[in-house]
mmCIF file of all heavy atoms in Angstrom:
data_model
loop_
_atom_site.group_PDB
_atom_site.id
_atom_site.type_symbol
_atom_site.label_atom_id
_atom_site.label_comp_id
_atom_site.label_asym_id
_atom_site.label_seq_id
_atom_site.Cartn_x
_atom_site.Cartn_y
_atom_site.Cartn_z
ATOM 1 N N HIS A 455 15.544 7.999 -3.531
ATOM 2 C CA HIS A 455 16.707 7.154 -3.796
ATOM 3 C C HIS A 455 17.114 6.386 -2.532
ATOM 4 O O HIS A 455 16.856 6.815 -1.408
ATOM 5 C CB HIS A 455 17.886 8.004 -4.271
ATOM 6 C CG HIS A 455 17.572 8.854 -5.463
ATOM 7 N ND1 HIS A 455 17.330 8.326 -6.709
ATOM 8 C CD2 HIS A 455 17.422 10.194 -5.582
ATOM 9 C CE1 HIS A 455 17.069 9.317 -7.558
ATOM 10 N NE2 HIS A 455 17.124 10.450 -6.903
ATOM 11 N N ARG A 456 17.755 5.249 -2.739
ATOM 12 C CA ARG A 456 18.406 4.462 -1.694
ATOM 13 C C ARG A 456 17.434 3.957 -0.623
ATOM 14 O O ARG A 456 17.854 3.644 0.480
ATOM 15 C CB ARG A 456 19.515 5.284 -1.025
ATOM 16 C CG ARG A 456 20.603 5.699 -1.996
ATOM 17 C CD ARG A 456 21.700 6.470 -1.289
ATOM 18 N NE ARG A 456 22.758 6.835 -2.221
ATOM 19 C CZ ARG A 456 23.810 7.579 -1.875
ATOM 20 N NH1 ARG A 456 23.945 8.011 -0.630
ATOM 21 N NH2 ARG A 456 24.728 7.875 -2.774
ATOM 22 N N ARG A 457 16.177 3.846 -0.955
ATOM 23 C CA ARG A 457 15.238 3.353 0.052
ATOM 24 C C ARG A 457 15.503 1.885 0.382
ATOM 25 O O ARG A 457 15.258 1.447 1.509
ATOM 26 C CB ARG A 457 13.789 3.531 -0.434
ATOM 27 C CG ARG A 457 13.399 4.982 -0.611
ATOM 28 C CD ARG A 457 11.916 5.136 -0.895
ATOM 29 N NE ARG A 457 11.523 4.537 -2.156
ATOM 30 C CZ ARG A 457 10.306 4.671 -2.702
ATOM 31 N NH1 ARG A 457 9.372 5.368 -2.072
ATOM 32 N NH2 ARG A 457 10.015 4.100 -3.842
ATOM 33 N N ASP A 458 15.973 1.134 -0.588
ATOM 34 C CA ASP A 458 16.203 -0.300 -0.361
ATOM 35 C C ASP A 458 17.273 -0.563 0.696
ATOM 36 O O ASP A 458 17.342 -1.661 1.252
ATOM 37 C CB ASP A 458 16.609 -0.991 -1.672
ATOM 38 C CG ASP A 458 15.441 -1.142 -2.616
ATOM 39 O OD1 ASP A 458 14.304 -0.901 -2.177
ATOM 40 O OD2 ASP A 458 15.658 -1.490 -3.789
ATOM 41 N N ARG A 459 18.134 0.420 0.976
ATOM 42 C CA ARG A 459 19.222 0.211 1.922
ATOM 43 C C ARG A 459 18.777 0.427 3.372
ATOM 44 O O ARG A 459 19.518 0.094 4.293
ATOM 45 C CB ARG A 459 20.383 1.151 1.596
ATOM 46 C CG ARG A 459 20.956 0.939 0.206
ATOM 47 C CD ARG A 459 22.161 1.831 -0.025
ATOM 48 N NE ARG A 459 22.702 1.684 -1.378
ATOM 49 C CZ ARG A 459 23.767 2.340 -1.823
ATOM 50 N NH1 ARG A 459 24.402 3.182 -1.022
ATOM 51 N NH2 ARG A 459 24.185 2.165 -3.045
ATOM 52 N N TRP A 460 17.591 1.003 3.564
ATOM 53 C CA TRP A 460 17.118 1.266 4.921
ATOM 54 C C TRP A 460 16.660 -0.035 5.570
ATOM 55 O O TRP A 460 16.217 -0.962 4.896
ATOM 56 C CB TRP A 460 15.946 2.242 4.892
ATOM 57 C CG TRP A 460 16.335 3.647 4.555
ATOM 58 C CD1 TRP A 460 16.582 4.140 3.311
ATOM 59 C CD2 TRP A 460 16.524 4.721 5.466
ATOM 60 N NE1 TRP A 460 16.906 5.465 3.380
ATOM 61 C CE2 TRP A 460 16.879 5.848 4.692
ATOM 62 C CE3 TRP A 460 16.422 4.844 6.844
ATOM 63 C CZ2 TRP A 460 17.132 7.088 5.269
ATOM 64 C CZ3 TRP A 460 16.675 6.075 7.423
ATOM 65 C CH2 TRP A 460 17.030 7.184 6.644
ATOM 66 N N LEU A 461 16.749 -0.082 6.903
ATOM 67 C CA LEU A 461 16.183 -1.219 7.618
ATOM 68 C C LEU A 461 14.673 -1.229 7.425
ATOM 69 O O LEU A 461 14.021 -0.178 7.451
ATOM 70 C CB LEU A 461 16.503 -1.137 9.111
ATOM 71 C CG LEU A 461 17.914 -1.540 9.547
ATOM 72 C CD1 LEU A 461 18.058 -1.359 11.050
ATOM 73 C CD2 LEU A 461 18.198 -2.990 9.160
ATOM 74 N N CYS A 462 14.116 -2.391 7.210
ATOM 75 C CA CYS A 462 12.682 -2.501 6.958
ATOM 76 C C CYS A 462 11.895 -2.057 8.194
ATOM 77 O O CYS A 462 12.224 -2.450 9.327
ATOM 78 C CB CYS A 462 12.324 -3.941 6.606
ATOM 79 S SG CYS A 462 10.619 -4.105 6.046
ATOM 80 N N PRO A 463 10.849 -1.249 8.017
ATOM 81 C CA PRO A 463 10.065 -0.763 9.171
ATOM 82 C C PRO A 463 9.276 -1.851 9.884
ATOM 83 O O PRO A 463 8.729 -1.605 10.953
ATOM 84 C CB PRO A 463 9.121 0.276 8.543
ATOM 85 C CG PRO A 463 9.028 -0.101 7.106
ATOM 86 C CD PRO A 463 10.373 -0.652 6.750
ATOM 87 N N CYS A 464 9.239 -3.077 9.323
ATOM 88 C CA CYS A 464 8.462 -4.135 9.976
ATOM 89 C C CYS A 464 9.165 -4.691 11.215
ATOM 90 O O CYS A 464 8.570 -5.422 11.997
ATOM 91 C CB CYS A 464 8.153 -5.263 9.002
ATOM 92 S SG CYS A 464 9.557 -6.334 8.643
ATOM 93 N N GLY A 465 10.450 -4.345 11.383
ATOM 94 C CA GLY A 465 11.176 -4.814 12.562
ATOM 95 C C GLY A 465 11.955 -6.096 12.347
ATOM 96 O O GLY A 465 12.434 -6.709 13.305
ATOM 97 N N SER A 466 12.110 -6.522 11.116
ATOM 98 C CA SER A 466 12.801 -7.791 10.833
ATOM 99 C C SER A 466 14.321 -7.681 10.923
ATOM 100 O O SER A 466 15.016 -8.696 10.895
ATOM 101 C CB SER A 466 12.423 -8.272 9.428
ATOM 102 O OG SER A 466 12.945 -7.375 8.443
ATOM 103 N N ASN A 467 14.826 -6.429 10.967
ATOM 104 C CA ASN A 467 16.262 -6.146 10.942
ATOM 105 C C ASN A 467 16.900 -6.484 9.602
ATOM 106 O O ASN A 467 18.126 -6.552 9.486
ATOM 107 C CB ASN A 467 17.006 -6.880 12.070
ATOM 108 C CG ASN A 467 16.703 -6.283 13.434
ATOM 109 O OD1 ASN A 467 16.557 -5.065 13.566
ATOM 110 N ND2 ASN A 467 16.584 -7.131 14.443
ATOM 111 N N LYS A 468 16.077 -6.707 8.589
ATOM 112 C CA LYS A 468 16.574 -6.891 7.224
ATOM 113 C C LYS A 468 16.485 -5.571 6.471
ATOM 114 O O LYS A 468 15.751 -4.672 6.857
ATOM 115 C CB LYS A 468 15.745 -7.950 6.495
ATOM 116 C CG LYS A 468 15.809 -9.329 7.112
ATOM 117 C CD LYS A 468 14.913 -10.290 6.318
ATOM 118 C CE LYS A 468 14.936 -11.682 6.917
ATOM 119 N NZ LYS A 468 14.032 -12.611 6.170
ATOM 120 N N ARG A 469 17.264 -5.487 5.375
ATOM 121 C CA ARG A 469 17.142 -4.306 4.522
ATOM 122 C C ARG A 469 15.788 -4.328 3.823
ATOM 123 O O ARG A 469 15.260 -5.387 3.476
ATOM 124 C CB ARG A 469 18.274 -4.269 3.501
ATOM 125 C CG ARG A 469 19.635 -3.917 4.099
ATOM 126 C CD ARG A 469 20.704 -3.736 3.044
ATOM 127 N NE ARG A 469 20.955 -4.958 2.296
ATOM 128 C CZ ARG A 469 20.706 -5.112 1.001
ATOM 129 N NH1 ARG A 469 20.180 -4.124 0.301
ATOM 130 N NH2 ARG A 469 20.967 -6.255 0.407
ATOM 131 N N LEU A 470 15.227 -3.154 3.595
ATOM 132 C CA LEU A 470 13.919 -3.039 2.968
ATOM 133 C C LEU A 470 13.875 -3.742 1.617
ATOM 134 O O LEU A 470 12.875 -4.377 1.257
ATOM 135 C CB LEU A 470 13.557 -1.557 2.792
ATOM 136 C CG LEU A 470 12.249 -1.251 2.066
ATOM 137 C CD1 LEU A 470 11.063 -1.741 2.884
ATOM 138 C CD2 LEU A 470 12.122 0.237 1.800
ATOM 139 N N GLY A 471 14.969 -3.653 0.871
ATOM 140 C CA GLY A 471 14.990 -4.213 -0.480
ATOM 141 C C GLY A 471 14.766 -5.708 -0.523
ATOM 142 O O GLY A 471 14.324 -6.240 -1.543
ATOM 143 N N VAL A 472 15.079 -6.409 0.565
ATOM 144 C CA VAL A 472 14.896 -7.861 0.583
ATOM 145 C C VAL A 472 13.778 -8.263 1.542
ATOM 146 O O VAL A 472 13.637 -9.436 1.872
ATOM 147 C CB VAL A 472 16.203 -8.588 0.974
ATOM 148 C CG1 VAL A 472 17.273 -8.338 -0.083
ATOM 149 C CG2 VAL A 472 16.691 -8.130 2.355
ATOM 150 N N CYS A 473 12.992 -7.284 1.986
ATOM 151 C CA CYS A 473 11.933 -7.610 2.952
ATOM 152 C C CYS A 473 10.579 -7.081 2.461
ATOM 153 O O CYS A 473 9.932 -7.739 1.658
ATOM 154 C CB CYS A 473 12.296 -7.052 4.330
ATOM 155 S SG CYS A 473 11.276 -7.727 5.670
ATOM 156 N N CYS A 474 10.182 -5.907 2.903
ATOM 157 C CA CYS A 474 8.826 -5.399 2.606
ATOM 158 C C CYS A 474 8.811 -4.375 1.479
ATOM 159 O O CYS A 474 8.046 -3.401 1.511
ATOM 160 C CB CYS A 474 8.197 -4.812 3.866
ATOM 161 S SG CYS A 474 7.842 -6.024 5.155
ATOM 162 N N ARG A 475 9.642 -4.569 0.485
ATOM 163 C CA ARG A 475 9.712 -3.627 -0.649
ATOM 164 C C ARG A 475 8.369 -3.533 -1.364
ATOM 165 O O ARG A 475 7.966 -2.459 -1.808
ATOM 166 C CB ARG A 475 10.789 -4.079 -1.633
ATOM 167 C CG ARG A 475 11.093 -3.043 -2.722
ATOM 168 C CD ARG A 475 11.763 -1.837 -2.104
ATOM 169 N NE ARG A 475 12.355 -0.937 -3.074
ATOM 170 C CZ ARG A 475 11.711 0.031 -3.725
ATOM 171 N NH1 ARG A 475 10.424 0.188 -3.534
ATOM 172 N NH2 ARG A 475 12.346 0.818 -4.551
ATOM 173 N N LYS A 476 7.668 -4.667 -1.480
ATOM 174 C CA LYS A 476 6.368 -4.645 -2.159
ATOM 175 C C LYS A 476 5.365 -3.759 -1.427
ATOM 176 O O LYS A 476 4.564 -3.064 -2.057
ATOM 177 C CB LYS A 476 5.819 -6.069 -2.295
ATOM 178 C CG LYS A 476 6.577 -6.934 -3.284
ATOM 179 C CD LYS A 476 5.918 -8.302 -3.426
ATOM 180 C CE LYS A 476 6.646 -9.160 -4.438
ATOM 181 N NZ LYS A 476 6.015 -10.519 -4.573
ATOM 182 N N ALA A 477 5.416 -3.780 -0.084
ATOM 183 C CA ALA A 477 4.514 -2.946 0.700
ATOM 184 C C ALA A 477 4.796 -1.467 0.446
ATOM 185 O O ALA A 477 3.871 -0.656 0.312
ATOM 186 C CB ALA A 477 4.653 -3.256 2.189
ATOM 187 N N LEU A 478 6.073 -1.091 0.348
ATOM 188 C CA LEU A 478 6.429 0.294 0.068
ATOM 189 C C LEU A 478 6.003 0.693 -1.338
ATOM 190 O O LEU A 478 5.470 1.794 -1.555
ATOM 191 C CB LEU A 478 7.934 0.501 0.242
ATOM 192 C CG LEU A 478 8.458 1.904 -0.086
ATOM 193 C CD1 LEU A 478 7.789 2.950 0.789
ATOM 194 C CD2 LEU A 478 9.974 1.959 0.086
ATOM 195 N N ASN A 479 6.227 -0.200 -2.311
ATOM 196 C CA ASN A 479 5.798 0.100 -3.682
ATOM 197 C C ASN A 479 4.286 0.323 -3.749
ATOM 198 O O ASN A 479 3.810 1.237 -4.423
ATOM 199 C CB ASN A 479 6.200 -1.044 -4.617
ATOM 200 C CG ASN A 479 7.696 -1.120 -4.844
ATOM 201 O OD1 ASN A 479 8.418 -0.159 -4.591
ATOM 202 N ND2 ASN A 479 8.167 -2.261 -5.303
ATOM 203 N N LYS A 480 3.550 -0.522 -3.047
ATOM 204 C CA LYS A 480 2.088 -0.405 -3.051
ATOM 205 C C LYS A 480 1.660 0.906 -2.408
ATOM 206 O O LYS A 480 0.816 1.632 -2.958
ATOM 207 C CB LYS A 480 1.476 -1.588 -2.296
ATOM 208 C CG LYS A 480 -0.049 -1.590 -2.293
ATOM 209 C CD LYS A 480 -0.569 -2.841 -1.583
ATOM 210 C CE LYS A 480 -2.096 -2.873 -1.588
ATOM 211 N NZ LYS A 480 -2.610 -4.095 -0.900
ATOM 212 N N ALA A 481 2.233 1.238 -1.235
ATOM 213 C CA ALA A 481 1.891 2.482 -0.551
ATOM 214 C C ALA A 481 2.259 3.697 -1.401
ATOM 215 O O ALA A 481 1.528 4.690 -1.433
ATOM 216 C CB ALA A 481 2.591 2.546 0.807
ATOM 217 N N SER A 482 3.387 3.615 -2.112
ATOM 218 C CA SER A 482 3.826 4.726 -2.955
ATOM 219 C C SER A 482 2.860 4.963 -4.112
ATOM 220 O O SER A 482 2.674 6.095 -4.555
ATOM 221 C CB SER A 482 5.237 4.460 -3.488
ATOM 222 O OG SER A 482 6.167 4.368 -2.428
ATOM 223 N N ARG A 483 2.245 3.890 -4.597
ATOM 224 C CA ARG A 483 1.257 4.043 -5.678
ATOM 225 C C ARG A 483 -0.046 4.639 -5.155
ATOM 226 O O ARG A 483 -0.733 5.377 -5.861
ATOM 227 C CB ARG A 483 0.982 2.692 -6.336
ATOM 228 C CG ARG A 483 2.130 2.143 -7.169
ATOM 229 C CD ARG A 483 1.668 0.991 -8.048
ATOM 230 N NE ARG A 483 1.167 -0.126 -7.257
ATOM 231 C CZ ARG A 483 1.926 -1.143 -6.834
ATOM 232 N NH1 ARG A 483 3.222 -1.152 -7.117
ATOM 233 N NH2 ARG A 483 1.411 -2.130 -6.142
ATOM 234 N N LEU A 484 -0.386 4.305 -3.912
ATOM 235 C CA LEU A 484 -1.662 4.748 -3.351
ATOM 236 C C LEU A 484 -1.617 6.174 -2.824
ATOM 237 O O LEU A 484 -2.632 6.880 -2.858
ATOM 238 C CB LEU A 484 -2.077 3.804 -2.210
ATOM 239 C CG LEU A 484 -2.447 2.373 -2.606
ATOM 240 C CD1 LEU A 484 -2.644 1.517 -1.359
ATOM 241 C CD2 LEU A 484 -3.718 2.357 -3.458
ATOM 242 N N ILE A 485 -0.464 6.622 -2.324
ATOM 243 C CA ILE A 485 -0.352 7.921 -1.677
ATOM 244 C C ILE A 485 0.627 8.813 -2.433
ATOM 245 O O ILE A 485 1.823 8.490 -2.507
ATOM 246 C CB ILE A 485 0.126 7.776 -0.211
ATOM 247 C CG1 ILE A 485 -0.792 6.836 0.562
ATOM 248 C CG2 ILE A 485 0.198 9.142 0.469
ATOM 249 C CD1 ILE A 485 -2.215 7.335 0.689
ATOM 250 N N PRO A 486 0.165 9.936 -2.989
ATOM 251 C CA PRO A 486 1.094 10.879 -3.625
ATOM 252 C C PRO A 486 2.082 11.434 -2.599
ATOM 253 O O PRO A 486 1.746 11.600 -1.425
ATOM 254 C CB PRO A 486 0.162 12.000 -4.144
ATOM 255 C CG PRO A 486 -1.193 11.391 -4.200
ATOM 256 C CD PRO A 486 -1.231 10.374 -3.098
ATOM 257 N N ARG A 487 3.284 11.721 -3.041
ATOM 258 C CA ARG A 487 4.311 12.209 -2.123
ATOM 259 C C ARG A 487 3.879 13.474 -1.391
ATOM 260 O O ARG A 487 4.190 13.670 -0.223
ATOM 261 C CB ARG A 487 5.617 12.482 -2.891
ATOM 262 C CG ARG A 487 6.396 11.224 -3.258
ATOM 263 C CD ARG A 487 7.776 11.604 -3.790
ATOM 264 N NE ARG A 487 8.618 10.439 -3.967
ATOM 265 C CZ ARG A 487 8.741 9.775 -5.108
ATOM 266 N NH1 ARG A 487 8.051 10.165 -6.157
ATOM 267 N NH2 ARG A 487 9.538 8.716 -5.195
ATOM 268 N N ASP A 488 3.128 14.363 -2.080
ATOM 269 C CA ASP A 488 2.765 15.622 -1.443
ATOM 270 C C ASP A 488 1.684 15.468 -0.378
ATOM 271 O O ASP A 488 1.371 16.418 0.342
ATOM 272 C CB ASP A 488 2.312 16.648 -2.496
ATOM 273 C CG ASP A 488 1.122 16.160 -3.315
ATOM 274 O OD1 ASP A 488 0.660 15.030 -3.089
ATOM 275 O OD2 ASP A 488 0.651 16.920 -4.177
ATOM 276 N N GLN A 489 1.093 14.267 -0.247
ATOM 277 C CA GLN A 489 0.098 14.039 0.796
ATOM 278 C C GLN A 489 0.664 13.322 2.019
ATOM 279 O O GLN A 489 0.001 13.220 3.047
ATOM 280 C CB GLN A 489 -1.071 13.213 0.238
ATOM 281 C CG GLN A 489 -1.969 13.963 -0.722
ATOM 282 C CD GLN A 489 -3.190 13.139 -1.117
ATOM 283 O OE1 GLN A 489 -3.532 12.153 -0.472
ATOM 284 N NE2 GLN A 489 -3.841 13.545 -2.190
ATOM 285 N N VAL A 490 1.899 12.863 1.911
ATOM 286 C CA VAL A 490 2.465 12.063 2.995
ATOM 287 C C VAL A 490 2.594 12.881 4.278
ATOM 288 O O VAL A 490 2.261 12.412 5.372
ATOM 289 C CB VAL A 490 3.830 11.490 2.582
ATOM 290 C CG1 VAL A 490 4.530 10.840 3.771
ATOM 291 C CG2 VAL A 490 3.649 10.464 1.477
ATOM 292 N N PHE A 491 3.075 14.119 4.167
ATOM 293 C CA PHE A 491 3.259 14.944 5.356
ATOM 294 C C PHE A 491 1.928 15.198 6.053
ATOM 295 O O PHE A 491 1.837 15.137 7.289
ATOM 296 C CB PHE A 491 3.925 16.273 4.987
ATOM 297 C CG PHE A 491 4.172 17.173 6.163
ATOM 298 C CD1 PHE A 491 5.103 16.829 7.139
ATOM 299 C CD2 PHE A 491 3.466 18.358 6.311
ATOM 300 C CE1 PHE A 491 5.331 17.650 8.237
ATOM 301 C CE2 PHE A 491 3.683 19.179 7.408
ATOM 302 C CZ PHE A 491 4.625 18.833 8.369
ATOM 303 N N SER A 492 0.880 15.458 5.285
ATOM 304 C CA SER A 492 -0.444 15.685 5.870
ATOM 305 C C SER A 492 -0.936 14.441 6.602
ATOM 306 O O SER A 492 -1.515 14.534 7.689
ATOM 307 C CB SER A 492 -1.445 16.081 4.779
ATOM 308 O OG SER A 492 -1.118 17.319 4.217
ATOM 309 N N LEU A 493 -0.713 13.268 6.021
ATOM 310 C CA LEU A 493 -1.122 12.029 6.674
ATOM 311 C C LEU A 493 -0.330 11.791 7.958
ATOM 312 O O LEU A 493 -0.876 11.334 8.958
ATOM 313 C CB LEU A 493 -0.943 10.842 5.726
ATOM 314 C CG LEU A 493 -2.008 10.671 4.647
ATOM 315 C CD1 LEU A 493 -1.627 9.538 3.710
ATOM 316 C CD2 LEU A 493 -3.374 10.399 5.263
ATOM 317 N N HIS A 494 0.955 12.117 7.937
ATOM 318 C CA HIS A 494 1.777 11.933 9.120
ATOM 319 C C HIS A 494 1.304 12.860 10.236
ATOM 320 O O HIS A 494 1.194 12.454 11.407
ATOM 321 C CB HIS A 494 3.247 12.201 8.799
ATOM 322 C CG HIS A 494 4.189 11.636 9.803
ATOM 323 N ND1 HIS A 494 4.405 12.230 11.032
ATOM 324 C CD2 HIS A 494 4.970 10.517 9.797
ATOM 325 C CE1 HIS A 494 5.268 11.518 11.723
ATOM 326 N NE2 HIS A 494 5.642 10.478 11.004
#
């Protein structure tokens, strides 16, 4: 929840919802949540 309110990780100083939301949606489809910690 509330991911759109975070500052975008690209460094634009914009909220994620109006910046790189598509990149997050794409990454979320490619990587299951339970694998994120292992990748990190």
Side-chain angles (χ1 to χ4, degrees):
H455 305 292
R456 299 182 179 176
R457 296 188 295 188
D458 287 349
R459 300 184 182 181
W460 288 80
L461 282 178
C462 188
C464 75
S466 67
N467 288 323
K468 298 179 181 178
R469 287 186 297 115
L470 176 66
V472 296
C473 194
C474 293
R475 189 68 167 85
K476 290 184 178 179
L478 177 59
N479 290 342
K480 182 177 181 180
S482 298
R483 290 194 299 269
L484 292 172
I485 305 297
R487 284 190 172 94
D488 59 359
Q489 288 186 16
V490 171
F491 181 68
S492 294
L493 282 175
H494 198 283

